[in-house]
């Protein structure tokens, strides 16, 4: 069967389930990363045919897509800031908003000439910690996660990407770092449990709930705990960076200000939504 026909039929099959944009994107990623057939290949060599074995593999993958499984789980990896990361059901699939969080930090610290100690709380696949390690000179990056399986993925990615970021099994609600830090960054769980019914199945059915949801009565649970951690362990002038729920920007800002942080600011993502909060730890009295 010719690649051009395969692409059209696959998109047509998935569009009623996923929507046209996601169907086209998922099939393009699947063909390129699982079968080595890029968009340019489809345009320039539309009569290329898949073998019977590859066609069977593709049909199996399409059925998984139809069940709302993320294409990144099917191929086993995703790209984050141009680098390839292994992912699994034990880690979140990184989103573009998290790339914006990382680049906001990098813009401020890219050319640091002294060692910068960074803690990434809730590392998952390790994409934040590894990116900061590779993009900031003199960075000393540690990642924490409560999931041993997620830490296996993060360590695999660090080794594969030649990163010196280290990863530890820690609970952000209980543990404290053993040393002073210049930066704490986190994309913690921040979705109230009641919002599950409004979310896509490719998130609720396949991303780890531990990394997504917080109790309805306390949506700022992790921001409070990590903020308290920062007041104890950040150096004077040290920075706290959070990815946040778009509906809780002012609440998160006010929470950090009430803890004594200074220069608390909200940054919008490319969609114009509240997405990043940054704050500075003041000198201790």
């Amino acid at each position: 069967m010719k690649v051009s026909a395969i692409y059209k039929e696959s998109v047509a099959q998935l569009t009623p389930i996923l929507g046209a944009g996601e169907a086209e994107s998922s099939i393009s990623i699947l063909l390129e990363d699982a079968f080595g057939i890029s968009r340019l290949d489809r345009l320039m060599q539309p009569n290329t045919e898949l073998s019977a074995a590859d066609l069977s593999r593709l049909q199996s993958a399409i059925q998984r897509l139809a069940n709302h499984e993320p294409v990144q789980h099917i191929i086993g990896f995703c790209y984050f800031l141009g680098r390839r990361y292994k992912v699994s059901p034990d880690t979140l699939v990184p989103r573009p908003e998290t790339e914006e969080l990382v680049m906001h930090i990098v813009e401020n610290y890219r050319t640091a000439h002294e060692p910068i100690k960074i803690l990434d709380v809730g590392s998952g696949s390790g994409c934040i910690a590894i990116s900061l390690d590779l993009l900031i000179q003199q960075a000393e990056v540690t990642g924490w996660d409560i999931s041993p399986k997620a830490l296996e993925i993060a360590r695999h990615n660090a080794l594969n990407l030649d990163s010196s970021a280290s990863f530890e099994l820690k609970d952000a609600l209980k543990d404290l770092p053993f040393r002073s830090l210049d930066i704490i960054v986190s994309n913690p769980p921040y979705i109230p449990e009641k919002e599950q019914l409004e979310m896509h199945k490719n998130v609720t059915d396949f991303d780890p709930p531990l990394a997504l949801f917080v109790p309805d009565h306390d949506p700022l649970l992790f921001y409070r705990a990590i903020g308290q951690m920062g007041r104890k362990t950040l150096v004077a002038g040290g920075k706290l960076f959070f990815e946040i729920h778009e509906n809780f920007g002012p609440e998160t800002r006010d929470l950090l200000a009430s803890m004594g942080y200074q220069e608390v600011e909200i940054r919008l993502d490319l969609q114009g939504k509240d997405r990043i909060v940054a704050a500075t730890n003041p000198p201790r009295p």
Side-chain angles (χ1 to χ4, degrees), residues 151-169:
L151 290 172
E152 289 180 13
I153 298 291
R155 289 170 181 143
H156 168 91
N157 286 327
L159 182 64
N160 193 52
L161 292 168
D162 197 24
S163 166
S164 59
S166 61
F167 295 92
E168 300 175 356
L169 182 66

Side-chain angles (χ1 to χ4, degrees), residues 102 120 123 126-134 141-143 163 165-167:
V102 169
D120 169 32
S123 286
C127 61
I128 293 177
I130 293 168
S131 296
L132 293 175
D133 175 62
L134 296 175
V141 187
T142 302
S163 166
S166 61
F167 295 92

Side-chain angles (χ1 to χ4, degrees), residues 119-247:
L119 175 64
D120 169 32
V121 181
S123 286
S125 66
C127 61
I128 293 177
I130 293 168
S131 296
L132 293 175
D133 175 62
L134 296 175
L135 293 172
I136 297 178
Q137 299 177 20
Q138 304 289 330
E140 297 178 7
V141 187
T142 302
W144 281 10
D145 207 284
I146 198 172
S147 165
K149 291 183 178 179
L151 290 172
E152 289 180 13
I153 298 291
R155 289 170 181 143
H156 168 91
N157 286 327
L159 182 64
N160 193 52
L161 292 168
D162 197 24
S163 166
S164 59
S166 61
F167 295 92
E168 300 175 356
L169 182 66
K170 297 286 186 179
D171 184 342
L173 299 179
K174 297 178 181 179
D175 293 315
L176 282 175
F178 292 110
R179 57 178 180 170
S180 296
L181 298 165
D182 297 288
I183 296 172
I184 296 176
V185 56
S186 184
N187 176 20
Y190 58 64
I191 302 172
E193 292 173 338
K194 64 184 178 183
E195 293 187 13
Q196 291 186 53
L197 296 177
E198 305 170 12
M199 298 173 66
H200 293 296
K201 287 187 176 183
N202 63 349
V203 175
T204 58
D205 291 0
F206 294 98
D207 274 341
L210 193 65
L212 291 172
F213 299 110
V214 287
D216 293 334
H217 69 274
D218 193 7
L220 303 184
L221 170 66
F222 285 92
Y223 300 107
R224 184 183 307 105
I226 297 169
Q228 291 168 344
M229 175 196 302
R231 291 290 284 130
K232 295 176 182 177
T233 60
L234 283 169
V235 300
K239 298 285 287 189
L240 188 64
F241 296 93
F242 284 133
E243 181 174 327
I244 64 167
H245 191 298
E246 63 190 76
N247 293 336

Side-chain angles (χ1 to χ4, degrees), residues 79-82 95-104 243:
Y79 289 95
F80 185 86
L81 291 174
R95 270 77 170 175
E97 295 85 357
T98 307
E99 293 182 323
E100 295 180 47
L101 170 67
V102 169
M103 291 312 300
H104 178 55
E243 181 174 327

Side-chain angles (χ1 to χ4, degrees), residues 254-268:
D254 294 347
L255 172 68
L256 296 177
S258 73
M259 290 181 174
Y261 284 95
Q262 299 176 350
E263 301 171 9
V264 185
E265 61 170 338
I266 301 172
R267 279 182 67 109
L268 306 181

